[in-house]
Amino acid sequence: MRPLQTLWGYYIRMTIKWPGLAALIPFIPLIALWSFVVWLELFPRVFLPGPGDVLIKAWELLYKGILLDYLGDSVVRLSVGAAAGMALAIPLGIFIGLNSRAHEVSWPILLFFQAIGDIAWLPILLIWFGFGLTTMTFVIVYTVLFPVVLNTVLGIRSVNPELRRAAQSLGASRPRILFEVTLPGALPNIITGLRNGLGYGWRALIAAEIIVGTSGIGFLMFDARRAGSVEEIVVGMIVLGILWYIVDSWILAPIERATGQRWGLVSS
Amino acid sequence: MAADQTTIFRPAPSRVRQALRFLWPLFGLVVVWQVLVMALDVNPRVFPDVPTVLSAGWKTIIDGTLLTHVGASLLRVSVGTVLAIVTAVPLGIAMGVSRGISTFLTPPLRFFSVLAGIAWIPIATLWFGYGFGAITFVIFNAVFFVVTYNTLLGVSTIPMPLRHAAASLGAGHWQMLTQVLLPGALPNIVTGIRTGMGFAWRGLIAAEMIATNTGLGYMLFLARDFYRTEVIVFAMIVIGIIWLLLDRLLLAPLERATVERWGMVQRS
Amino acid sequence: MKSLVLEHLAKTYFDPYRGTQVEAIKDLSLTVEEGDFVAVVGPSGCGKTTVLNMIAGFVPKTGGRILVDDREVSGPGPDRGVVFQSFALFPWKTVRENVAFGPKMRGVGKVERARIADEYLEMAGLSHAADRYPNELSGGMQQRVGVVRALANNPDVLLMDEPFASVDAQTRMTLQEELTRIWEERRPTVVFITHDVGEAVFLANKVVVLARGNLLAEVDISLPRPRVWDSLVHDNDFKDLSNQVLQLVRSA
Amino acid sequence: MKSLVLEHLAKTYFDPYRGTQVEAIKDLSLTVEEGDFVAVVGPSGCGKTTVLNMIAGFVPKTGGRILVDDREVSGPGPDRGVVFQSFALFPWKTVRENVAFGPKMRGVGKVERARIADEYLEMAGLSHAADRYPNELSGGMQQRVGVVRALANNPDVLLMDEPFASVDAQTRMTLQEELTRIWEERRPTVVFITHDVGEAVFLANKVVVLARGNLLAEVDISLPRPRVWDSLVHDNDFKDLSNQVLQLVRSA
Amino acid sequence: NAQDDDLIPLNAGMVSGIDQLGLPIALEQGFFEKHGLDVHIANPYATGVDSLNALQSGEVDTVQVGVPMIGAVVRGMDLVALGNYSGNAAQLGSDTTMALAAAEGSGIDGDDLSTLKGKRVAASFGTINHLYVLALIEAGGLEVSDVNLVNTPPPDMTVALLADGIDAFVGWDPWPIMAQTDVPGAYEVVRGGNYISYVGFNVAMRDWVEENGETIEKYLAALSEADQWMRANPEDAAQVATRWIPGLDIEVAKEAMGYNIQQADRRLSANNYAALHAAVDTLHRLGFIDDTFDVNEHINSTHIVKVMEEQPELFSDLPAIPEEAMITDGYHFEP
Ligand SMILES: Nc1ncnc2c1ncn2[C@@H]1O[C@H](COP(=O)(O)OP(=O)(O)OP(=O)(O)O)[C@@H](O)[C@H]1O
Ligand SMILES: Nc1ncnc2c1ncn2[C@@H]1O[C@H](COP(=O)(O)OP(=O)(O)OP(=O)(O)O)[C@@H](O)[C@H]1O
Ligand SMILES: [Mg+2]
Ligand SMILES: [Mg+2]
């Protein structure tokens, strides 16, 4: 116990000194474990490639230019889908959160559709919209929608009503109250909703690209898989993970720090 | 002069009326669906009308297959979801309480949160076995991250003085957890579970592509392979209804009896 | 400015979960003249905040009428400024932004509203904290921000719920004198809730005593103005009035 | 019970976003004897709550030492009961459950802790509200719940932050007398923050005046006990001491 | 020979699989241009169903699809089969590209298929390997309910075998081949064996077929030439396969190609009508589809027959179609 504790204390101090390291260190044991399992040959290499194999494959894909091309395609699809999803989900969440009639009408419908996966929709969507960006966007929007709406509604409903009253009696109109009071108050929840929604939107994209895809990271992963190679899957997972890591830690987390945490709504 | 602004207290609506109020938007949806299909004269292969779906559904009810499928799916979803909740809630709380744990776990959490269940299937099969193990993992993976993030948010929005008060009244770690952190984070945990369980059903459909000959996802895929769109739509409806029931019977009452009653969120 | 009339006002809180009810205000009639200063005192839980919330338009009444300048109250509005018992500062705005909120809503320009805010913050002794966020303030500082936020909006009716409860004796006197000055200058109609009987008598033209949801007594305070603490503490009329009100509260 | 020693205590708040810092407590040394009753007064924002929070173990100090019974404070504990300026009631517990929280933590049985809670609620005049949730209470009622919640846990050290600020004059006097009674009975060490100078003098053995993060003065209050308002209001020693403290606060 | 701008544009779709390779080979080897077509191949679809969805949505003019066509036709999609991408016109019974692979110690014996009883066997439901396993079960003298069939996408079959989630699987190449190299102890129980007749057609919507007869003939001719090239150069064809199917190992590709060319026969004969009819019949009997259809309505052999007549050299290396299976204009299949 003791040495572990010292080690832990050392780690904490180090992360405070070099926050950048905090992002890398936790992966070291993971990669070590992975290498170890591969080294033990518990599973045949073809089914569980080692870090080295994956790196080589990644380099190969990068070298051929496929990786970047496909990554570009996926990112475009995701951005379109995420932008459309947010543009739809946040206002919808606000509307439902503010208006109890809208809540009453839409809640059952929302919950009903929430459980019906995008994969179930795909065959029907394909017939409606074809194999293009529209279908992809639809699938992503569909996935982003629910976590963002649910969290936004919660956020709005948990804003202290006294703050809204204060704004009203200081002369704020309804739209002003929305922007000056309700939205900032709901922001921590909205961000968590986005974190969940976009994260899962990313997953939906992969699922969609397997079927709809003609390019993209999901396509890359499963195109190879159809011929029996697992390496591309792992490469794809790592690329996706890193990409999302960047989005979260460079966009969402800073917003979070500058708002909810700074205002003391959320303890850091 | 404005009409009398006085509001008279209305007694809480009866259960039947509540249920009706909840159901009418769904009835509306069914009507819209039927009218659209008839008005646009949609090919049943593209989207079937209401009677076709009902009769297809009726057939599966009579021959008992529906019950088998629903039973199998419910079992898988419950196991995966329960596992995810019992791991995610403590993890979210630990991260919300301890800065060290959160710095250590945030990067891997971020990294893994976008990795879709289907991408895991080949690897999950290796580790957890084909069939139940892999399916459970995919569902777990769908629920885990949302619940973790929402719990984390819930814990960090508990006002510090409440935690202080409990500590100075002698609450130990366990009591702090059960008496303060859990109830305080409850609004967000419920929303997390609500979002997560929605994703669990989606994950299930993806997972039941593999290694099964029962389950709603299996039913859906088989129908897809033989272009039985009405069975696809029926399976989707069944999934939606089951989820609605779960939400109505488990989550909504929990919410009403706790966070709404405590005045932590406004009543809907 | 505006007059304020309460006619047979009543408020019952329902608990839909337990099916119980609390009669917070039973039958309250009260007239406050235009530009008058009324202090409300009464035991904790007697319904003071409830009345204020109804005048402000925050909670629906369950009986009677509320007229502001002969028009029935239908919701909150900037004509009635409110100082909240729980401060209700916007956590996402700095102290200056909180105070400048009202002028901003009226469309006052950026520079001008910063000037207004700074003037009031100066008055409340908070200039040094203008750029902090509310969670970085002490309790009394937060309360003072809440007070000047309402004042800065220059409302016709000013509804104040124990605005100086968390403020130290010295600052409190300053604020009381400032409030008197502002009131004499602009003559808003003020309803001022307090637990400090001396404060009530010092500030008001009339002290209203509430008890268990009913009006117990109205005491006219005819002390000459301008009132300053240094002279009033030794004033016998002041002492007598204070004692009279205190006895009323005790009997409530 | 326990003694309390502050040695060169200091606290600076950092604002990591702006890179600024606020020196809330500069250098504070103070000794509170076992079973003593100390009142702390001082202008709003002078650091009273900060000191209390450090003694309670809620916020880390940035310098000096805090000893409770010769042991350095490392975190919150049930030996030090706290009444919060912002009440800090658990919204998810009824009034009775809030008050019974401390006994519950100690493992007191269900029936016994309900009895304890009801006894204290009776004392605070809140018996009728025992089954309500905090959001259904008035401000003063919430504050009283916060007070009796701390008392019911029977701590060795009682840290109270303006516990009677939102309570009406009458209830306040009752509570002050109750507090005196409890203190005389059990003799906890009390640190009591207030803005009401009369209250400080009435309750305490020693009044500590803080000013801008420093100790300005300590005034010993040697009024005889038991103290009751009815006799003390006309007592000249009481008046003199009150005036002395008031002058100190004003000069702060 | 034709000028670039005279080329007739055509959008074709495929599923990535070794047996579908005739299409990309025709493109790579320039056979389409040679026959006056400008063919664009959409990126390979995941499954036959997806390729049919693409066809329905107008993304492509023609696709290569097998069993999924049956479900679609039953549900009213007006599809017409024009030629084989994989199958055999010369004989009834062709399934060399499929095999049953089993795990070590599973006890399944190729000489005695009744050993399948009680085993967990994976197949991709609704595809040709589903039909194949059903035939194997029948051949073993068993009922369908005697075997525990589970639905599994082909890529997951080998890992399922390794993880001991199944005892055996049926699949098309390269999966049975890969199982033997990747899964220790796995063995091939049965390879082909003419238990069923392969169904794998060049398919298009009827409207389109009616208007593009000439194009179809050019298309089929080019594909037939590609098949011929593939039969003559299996090693090179395997190379092409690794380019079109990323991740495919060259050795596996070579072995799979060896089996594939035995079925690379674009011609249609009565045998192919019978194959489709048998497939429809089986699926209907087992309740997977509600209805049957007349195969004569959904196979249009006119165009391939014309190619066979006008360019016999494209098929000269194939075994001749027996007299009784030959089809002429106005042919009508009678079960
Ligand atoms: N979290 C914080 N971050 C930054 N500054 C703070 C924080 N909390 C308090 N301060 C500052 O520290 C100083 C002392 O605050 P404290 O709350 O101790 O005052 P106080 O004496 O309790 O005042 P009051 O009587 O108004 O409650 C104030 O200037 C305040 O602005
Ligand atoms: N939301 C509510 N639901 C139920 N009862 C309530 C609610 N708000 C207040 N009450 C009850 O109404 C009564 C009057 O409350 P109110 O807040 O008006 O008192 P007050 O006079 O302002 O007291 P204080 O001086 O303590 O602030 C109290 O008994 C209180 O418990
Ligand atoms: Mg009040
Ligand atoms: Mg304080």
Side-chain angles (χ1 to χ4, degrees), chain C residues 13 22 24 43-50 85 162 195, chain D residues 128 132 135-141 166:
Chain C
Y13 289 104
V22 178
S44 167
C46 70
K48 302 182 294 295
T49 302
T50 303
Q85 191 168 9
E162 306 186 28
H195 283 312
Chain D
H128 64 289
R132 294 200 209 157
N135 73 316
E136 300 169 320
L137 301 185
S138 79
M141 291 161 83
S166 311

PDB file of all heavy atoms in Angstrom, chain C residues 13 22 24 43-50 85 162 195, chain D residues 128 132 135-141 166, ligand 2:
ATOM      1  N   TYR C  13     -50.226  27.341   0.020  1.00  0.00           N
ATOM      2  CA  TYR C  13     -49.293  26.459  -0.707  1.00  0.00           C
ATOM      3  C   TYR C  13     -49.809  25.035  -0.631  1.00  0.00           C
ATOM      4  O   TYR C  13     -50.195  24.579   0.436  1.00  0.00           O
ATOM      5  CB  TYR C  13     -47.893  26.478  -0.086  1.00  0.00           C
ATOM      6  CG  TYR C  13     -47.129  27.746  -0.281  1.00  0.00           C
ATOM      7  CD1 TYR C  13     -46.974  28.661   0.759  1.00  0.00           C
ATOM      8  CD2 TYR C  13     -46.513  28.017  -1.504  1.00  0.00           C
ATOM      9  CE1 TYR C  13     -46.243  29.821   0.585  1.00  0.00           C
ATOM     10  CE2 TYR C  13     -45.784  29.178  -1.690  1.00  0.00           C
ATOM     11  CZ  TYR C  13     -45.655  30.089  -0.637  1.00  0.00           C
ATOM     12  OH  TYR C  13     -44.935  31.217  -0.816  1.00  0.00           O
ATOM     13  N   VAL C  22     -50.565  24.593   3.181  1.00  0.00           N
ATOM     14  CA  VAL C  22     -50.119  25.547   4.182  1.00  0.00           C
ATOM     15  C   VAL C  22     -50.748  26.889   3.839  1.00  0.00           C
ATOM     16  O   VAL C  22     -50.558  27.414   2.742  1.00  0.00           O
ATOM     17  CB  VAL C  22     -48.584  25.692   4.159  1.00  0.00           C
ATOM     18  CG1 VAL C  22     -48.149  26.727   5.185  1.00  0.00           C
ATOM     19  CG2 VAL C  22     -47.907  24.364   4.413  1.00  0.00           C
ATOM     20  N   ALA C  24     -50.376  30.311   4.011  1.00  0.00           N
ATOM     21  CA  ALA C  24     -49.314  31.262   4.331  1.00  0.00           C
ATOM     22  C   ALA C  24     -49.890  32.652   4.568  1.00  0.00           C
ATOM     23  O   ALA C  24     -49.487  33.359   5.486  1.00  0.00           O
ATOM     24  CB  ALA C  24     -48.282  31.292   3.232  1.00  0.00           C
ATOM     25  N   PRO C  43     -43.024  37.657  12.899  1.00  0.00           N
ATOM     26  CA  PRO C  43     -42.219  36.474  13.215  1.00  0.00           C
ATOM     27  C   PRO C  43     -41.821  35.709  11.964  1.00  0.00           C
ATOM     28  O   PRO C  43     -42.504  35.775  10.943  1.00  0.00           O
ATOM     29  CB  PRO C  43     -43.173  35.619  14.072  1.00  0.00           C
ATOM     30  CG  PRO C  43     -44.306  36.489  14.431  1.00  0.00           C
ATOM     31  CD  PRO C  43     -44.342  37.631  13.500  1.00  0.00           C
ATOM     32  N   SER C  44     -40.755  34.996  12.100  1.00  0.00           N
ATOM     33  CA  SER C  44     -40.274  34.159  11.005  1.00  0.00           C
ATOM     34  C   SER C  44     -41.363  33.183  10.586  1.00  0.00           C
ATOM     35  O   SER C  44     -41.978  32.536  11.427  1.00  0.00           O
ATOM     36  CB  SER C  44     -39.038  33.409  11.491  1.00  0.00           C
ATOM     37  OG  SER C  44     -38.707  32.389  10.608  1.00  0.00           O
ATOM     38  N   GLY C  45     -41.634  33.109   9.279  1.00  0.00           N
ATOM     39  CA  GLY C  45     -42.637  32.171   8.783  1.00  0.00           C
ATOM     40  C   GLY C  45     -44.039  32.723   8.775  1.00  0.00           C
ATOM     41  O   GLY C  45     -44.992  32.008   8.495  1.00  0.00           O
ATOM     42  N   CYS C  46     -44.204  34.039   9.044  1.00  0.00           N
ATOM     43  CA  CYS C  46     -45.557  34.577   9.121  1.00  0.00           C
ATOM     44  C   CYS C  46     -46.095  34.953   7.750  1.00  0.00           C
ATOM     45  O   CYS C  46     -47.256  35.311   7.622  1.00  0.00           O
ATOM     46  CB  CYS C  46     -45.601  35.794  10.036  1.00  0.00           C
ATOM     47  SG  CYS C  46     -44.775  37.231   9.335  1.00  0.00           S
ATOM     48  N   GLY C  47     -45.273  34.915   6.721  1.00  0.00           N
ATOM     49  CA  GLY C  47     -45.779  35.151   5.370  1.00  0.00           C
ATOM     50  C   GLY C  47     -45.256  36.410   4.697  1.00  0.00           C
ATOM     51  O   GLY C  47     -45.759  36.812   3.645  1.00  0.00           O
ATOM     52  N   LYS C  48     -44.233  37.029   5.248  1.00  0.00           N
ATOM     53  CA  LYS C  48     -43.718  38.276   4.682  1.00  0.00           C
ATOM     54  C   LYS C  48     -43.200  38.061   3.256  1.00  0.00           C
ATOM     55  O   LYS C  48     -43.584  38.768   2.313  1.00  0.00           O
ATOM     56  CB  LYS C  48     -42.579  38.814   5.563  1.00  0.00           C
ATOM     57  CG  LYS C  48     -42.974  39.064   7.003  1.00  0.00           C
ATOM     58  CD  LYS C  48     -41.847  39.631   7.830  1.00  0.00           C
ATOM     59  CE  LYS C  48     -40.684  38.678   8.019  1.00  0.00           C
ATOM     60  NZ  LYS C  48     -41.026  37.453   8.798  1.00  0.00           N
ATOM     61  N   THR C  49     -42.311  37.059   3.110  1.00  0.00           N
ATOM     62  CA  THR C  49     -41.743  36.798   1.792  1.00  0.00           C
ATOM     63  C   THR C  49     -42.825  36.413   0.794  1.00  0.00           C
ATOM     64  O   THR C  49     -42.802  36.811  -0.362  1.00  0.00           O
ATOM     65  CB  THR C  49     -40.691  35.681   1.897  1.00  0.00           C
ATOM     66  OG1 THR C  49     -39.693  36.090   2.814  1.00  0.00           O
ATOM     67  CG2 THR C  49     -40.059  35.392   0.551  1.00  0.00           C
ATOM     68  N   THR C  50     -43.806  35.679   1.293  1.00  0.00           N
ATOM     69  CA  THR C  50     -44.898  35.263   0.414  1.00  0.00           C
ATOM     70  C   THR C  50     -45.638  36.484  -0.150  1.00  0.00           C
ATOM     71  O   THR C  50     -45.914  36.562  -1.350  1.00  0.00           O
ATOM     72  CB  THR C  50     -45.867  34.368   1.196  1.00  0.00           C
ATOM     73  OG1 THR C  50     -45.139  33.253   1.715  1.00  0.00           O
ATOM     74  CG2 THR C  50     -46.989  33.862   0.308  1.00  0.00           C
ATOM     75  N   GLN C  85     -34.305  37.678  -0.447  1.00  0.00           N
ATOM     76  CA  GLN C  85     -33.766  37.200   0.824  1.00  0.00           C
ATOM     77  C   GLN C  85     -32.545  36.310   0.573  1.00  0.00           C
ATOM     78  O   GLN C  85     -31.588  36.335   1.326  1.00  0.00           O
ATOM     79  CB  GLN C  85     -34.863  36.400   1.553  1.00  0.00           C
ATOM     80  CG  GLN C  85     -34.540  36.074   2.982  1.00  0.00           C
ATOM     81  CD  GLN C  85     -35.760  35.543   3.755  1.00  0.00           C
ATOM     82  OE1 GLN C  85     -36.807  35.257   3.183  1.00  0.00           O
ATOM     83  NE2 GLN C  85     -35.614  35.440   5.066  1.00  0.00           N
ATOM     84  N   GLU C 162     -35.489  41.590   3.722  1.00  0.00           N
ATOM     85  CA  GLU C 162     -34.363  41.581   4.670  1.00  0.00           C
ATOM     86  C   GLU C 162     -33.044  41.924   3.986  1.00  0.00           C
ATOM     87  O   GLU C 162     -32.099  41.155   4.037  1.00  0.00           O
ATOM     88  CB  GLU C 162     -34.257  40.201   5.335  1.00  0.00           C
ATOM     89  CG  GLU C 162     -35.583  39.779   5.967  1.00  0.00           C
ATOM     90  CD  GLU C 162     -35.453  38.491   6.744  1.00  0.00           C
ATOM     91  OE1 GLU C 162     -34.346  38.214   7.241  1.00  0.00           O
ATOM     92  OE2 GLU C 162     -36.465  37.783   6.875  1.00  0.00           O
ATOM     93  N   HIS C 195     -36.233  42.148  10.135  1.00  0.00           N
ATOM     94  CA  HIS C 195     -36.447  41.622  11.489  1.00  0.00           C
ATOM     95  C   HIS C 195     -35.960  42.597  12.538  1.00  0.00           C
ATOM     96  O   HIS C 195     -36.158  42.388  13.721  1.00  0.00           O
ATOM     97  CB  HIS C 195     -35.688  40.295  11.657  1.00  0.00           C
ATOM     98  CG  HIS C 195     -36.389  39.172  10.998  1.00  0.00           C
ATOM     99  ND1 HIS C 195     -37.723  38.937  11.173  1.00  0.00           N
ATOM    100  CD2 HIS C 195     -35.950  38.234  10.138  1.00  0.00           C
ATOM    101  CE1 HIS C 195     -38.078  37.894  10.463  1.00  0.00           C
ATOM    102  NE2 HIS C 195     -37.028  37.451   9.819  1.00  0.00           N
TER     103      HIS C 195
ATOM    104  N   HIS D 128     -44.315  22.098  13.796  1.00  0.00           N
ATOM    105  CA  HIS D 128     -45.357  21.963  12.771  1.00  0.00           C
ATOM    106  C   HIS D 128     -44.769  21.716  11.387  1.00  0.00           C
ATOM    107  O   HIS D 128     -45.460  21.279  10.480  1.00  0.00           O
ATOM    108  CB  HIS D 128     -46.210  23.229  12.734  1.00  0.00           C
ATOM    109  CG  HIS D 128     -45.436  24.440  12.310  1.00  0.00           C
ATOM    110  ND1 HIS D 128     -44.486  25.049  13.107  1.00  0.00           N
ATOM    111  CD2 HIS D 128     -45.441  25.139  11.147  1.00  0.00           C
ATOM    112  CE1 HIS D 128     -43.967  26.079  12.470  1.00  0.00           C
ATOM    113  NE2 HIS D 128     -44.525  26.153  11.280  1.00  0.00           N
ATOM    114  N   ARG D 132     -41.843  18.795   6.411  1.00  0.00           N
ATOM    115  CA  ARG D 132     -41.687  19.504   5.138  1.00  0.00           C
ATOM    116  C   ARG D 132     -40.264  19.358   4.618  1.00  0.00           C
ATOM    117  O   ARG D 132     -39.339  19.056   5.351  1.00  0.00           O
ATOM    118  CB  ARG D 132     -41.975  20.985   5.329  1.00  0.00           C
ATOM    119  CG  ARG D 132     -43.414  21.228   5.695  1.00  0.00           C
ATOM    120  CD  ARG D 132     -43.784  22.651   5.396  1.00  0.00           C
ATOM    121  NE  ARG D 132     -44.834  23.077   6.312  1.00  0.00           N
ATOM    122  CZ  ARG D 132     -45.064  24.340   6.612  1.00  0.00           C
ATOM    123  NH1 ARG D 132     -44.310  25.289   6.088  1.00  0.00           N
ATOM    124  NH2 ARG D 132     -46.026  24.652   7.442  1.00  0.00           N
ATOM    125  N   ASN D 135     -37.233  23.288   0.816  1.00  0.00           N
ATOM    126  CA  ASN D 135     -37.693  24.297  -0.144  1.00  0.00           C
ATOM    127  C   ASN D 135     -39.109  24.784   0.151  1.00  0.00           C
ATOM    128  O   ASN D 135     -39.596  25.698  -0.491  1.00  0.00           O
ATOM    129  CB  ASN D 135     -37.595  23.763  -1.592  1.00  0.00           C
ATOM    130  CG  ASN D 135     -38.657  22.735  -1.905  1.00  0.00           C
ATOM    131  OD1 ASN D 135     -38.923  21.841  -1.119  1.00  0.00           O
ATOM    132  ND2 ASN D 135     -39.282  22.870  -3.063  1.00  0.00           N
ATOM    133  N   GLU D 136     -39.749  24.171   1.148  1.00  0.00           N
ATOM    134  CA  GLU D 136     -41.079  24.641   1.526  1.00  0.00           C
ATOM    135  C   GLU D 136     -41.042  25.517   2.778  1.00  0.00           C
ATOM    136  O   GLU D 136     -42.089  25.807   3.345  1.00  0.00           O
ATOM    137  CB  GLU D 136     -42.003  23.441   1.783  1.00  0.00           C
ATOM    138  CG  GLU D 136     -42.171  22.532   0.571  1.00  0.00           C
ATOM    139  CD  GLU D 136     -42.861  21.226   0.917  1.00  0.00           C
ATOM    140  OE1 GLU D 136     -42.574  20.661   1.984  1.00  0.00           O
ATOM    141  OE2 GLU D 136     -43.674  20.780   0.107  1.00  0.00           O
ATOM    142  N   LEU D 137     -39.859  25.896   3.201  1.00  0.00           N
ATOM    143  CA  LEU D 137     -39.743  26.696   4.420  1.00  0.00           C
ATOM    144  C   LEU D 137     -39.428  28.147   4.098  1.00  0.00           C
ATOM    145  O   LEU D 137     -38.861  28.455   3.055  1.00  0.00           O
ATOM    146  CB  LEU D 137     -38.616  26.157   5.309  1.00  0.00           C
ATOM    147  CG  LEU D 137     -38.696  24.721   5.779  1.00  0.00           C
ATOM    148  CD1 LEU D 137     -37.545  24.453   6.747  1.00  0.00           C
ATOM    149  CD2 LEU D 137     -40.023  24.463   6.461  1.00  0.00           C
ATOM    150  N   SER D 138     -39.755  29.020   5.038  1.00  0.00           N
ATOM    151  CA  SER D 138     -39.328  30.412   4.896  1.00  0.00           C
ATOM    152  C   SER D 138     -37.848  30.502   5.255  1.00  0.00           C
ATOM    153  O   SER D 138     -37.274  29.579   5.829  1.00  0.00           O
ATOM    154  CB  SER D 138     -40.139  31.295   5.829  1.00  0.00           C
ATOM    155  OG  SER D 138     -39.638  31.206   7.148  1.00  0.00           O
ATOM    156  N   GLY D 139     -37.222  31.618   4.882  1.00  0.00           N
ATOM    157  CA  GLY D 139     -35.790  31.795   5.123  1.00  0.00           C
ATOM    158  C   GLY D 139     -35.414  31.595   6.579  1.00  0.00           C
ATOM    159  O   GLY D 139     -34.491  30.853   6.916  1.00  0.00           O
ATOM    160  N   GLY D 140     -36.156  32.239   7.468  1.00  0.00           N
ATOM    161  CA  GLY D 140     -35.838  32.139   8.880  1.00  0.00           C
ATOM    162  C   GLY D 140     -36.014  30.726   9.404  1.00  0.00           C
ATOM    163  O   GLY D 140     -35.247  30.258  10.254  1.00  0.00           O
ATOM    164  N   MET D 141     -37.005  30.034   8.880  1.00  0.00           N
ATOM    165  CA  MET D 141     -37.223  28.657   9.308  1.00  0.00           C
ATOM    166  C   MET D 141     -36.048  27.790   8.868  1.00  0.00           C
ATOM    167  O   MET D 141     -35.560  26.946   9.624  1.00  0.00           O
ATOM    168  CB  MET D 141     -38.539  28.132   8.714  1.00  0.00           C
ATOM    169  CG  MET D 141     -39.777  28.792   9.315  1.00  0.00           C
ATOM    170  SD  MET D 141     -41.239  28.599   8.261  1.00  0.00           S
ATOM    171  CE  MET D 141     -41.784  26.978   8.734  1.00  0.00           C
ATOM    172  N   SER D 166     -31.426  35.760  10.010  1.00  0.00           N
ATOM    173  CA  SER D 166     -32.713  35.861   9.310  1.00  0.00           C
ATOM    174  C   SER D 166     -33.895  35.577  10.220  1.00  0.00           C
ATOM    175  O   SER D 166     -34.979  35.269   9.748  1.00  0.00           O
ATOM    176  CB  SER D 166     -32.752  34.881   8.140  1.00  0.00           C
ATOM    177  OG  SER D 166     -31.595  34.997   7.376  1.00  0.00           O
TER     178      SER D 166
HETATM  179  N1  LIG F   2     -42.906  26.690  -1.578  1.00  0.00           N
HETATM  180  C1  LIG F   2     -43.560  26.523  -0.425  1.00  0.00           C
HETATM  181  N2  LIG F   2     -44.290  25.408  -0.241  1.00  0.00           N
HETATM  182  C2  LIG F   2     -44.954  25.209   0.901  1.00  0.00           C
HETATM  183  N3  LIG F   2     -44.961  26.059   1.929  1.00  0.00           N
HETATM  184  C3  LIG F   2     -44.252  27.204   1.822  1.00  0.00           C
HETATM  185  C4  LIG F   2     -43.515  27.486   0.634  1.00  0.00           C
HETATM  186  N4  LIG F   2     -42.910  28.693   0.807  1.00  0.00           N
HETATM  187  C5  LIG F   2     -43.245  29.124   2.047  1.00  0.00           C
HETATM  188  N5  LIG F   2     -44.055  28.239   2.648  1.00  0.00           N
HETATM  189  C6  LIG F   2     -44.644  28.376   3.996  1.00  0.00           C
HETATM  190  O1  LIG F   2     -45.375  29.566   4.045  1.00  0.00           O
HETATM  191  C7  LIG F   2     -45.199  30.210   5.290  1.00  0.00           C
HETATM  192  C8  LIG F   2     -44.737  31.661   5.076  1.00  0.00           C
HETATM  193  O2  LIG F   2     -43.450  31.666   4.475  1.00  0.00           O
HETATM  194  P1  LIG F   2     -42.681  32.999   4.146  1.00  0.00           P
HETATM  195  O3  LIG F   2     -41.462  32.639   3.417  1.00  0.00           O
HETATM  196  O4  LIG F   2     -43.601  33.947   3.500  1.00  0.00           O
HETATM  197  O5  LIG F   2     -42.325  33.524   5.601  1.00  0.00           O
HETATM  198  P2  LIG F   2     -41.543  34.845   6.044  1.00  0.00           P
HETATM  199  O6  LIG F   2     -42.488  35.672   6.761  1.00  0.00           O
HETATM  200  O7  LIG F   2     -40.837  35.414   4.884  1.00  0.00           O
HETATM  201  O8  LIG F   2     -40.492  34.225   7.046  1.00  0.00           O
HETATM  202  P3  LIG F   2     -38.940  34.585   7.287  1.00  0.00           P
HETATM  203  O9  LIG F   2     -38.933  35.793   8.122  1.00  0.00           O
HETATM  204  O10 LIG F   2     -38.475  33.389   8.033  1.00  0.00           O
HETATM  205  O11 LIG F   2     -38.318  34.740   5.967  1.00  0.00           O
HETATM  206  C9  LIG F   2     -44.222  29.378   6.074  1.00  0.00           C
HETATM  207  O12 LIG F   2     -44.932  28.569   6.977  1.00  0.00           O
HETATM  208  C10 LIG F   2     -43.580  28.496   5.057  1.00  0.00           C
HETATM  209  O13 LIG F   2     -43.254  27.243   5.591  1.00  0.00           O
END
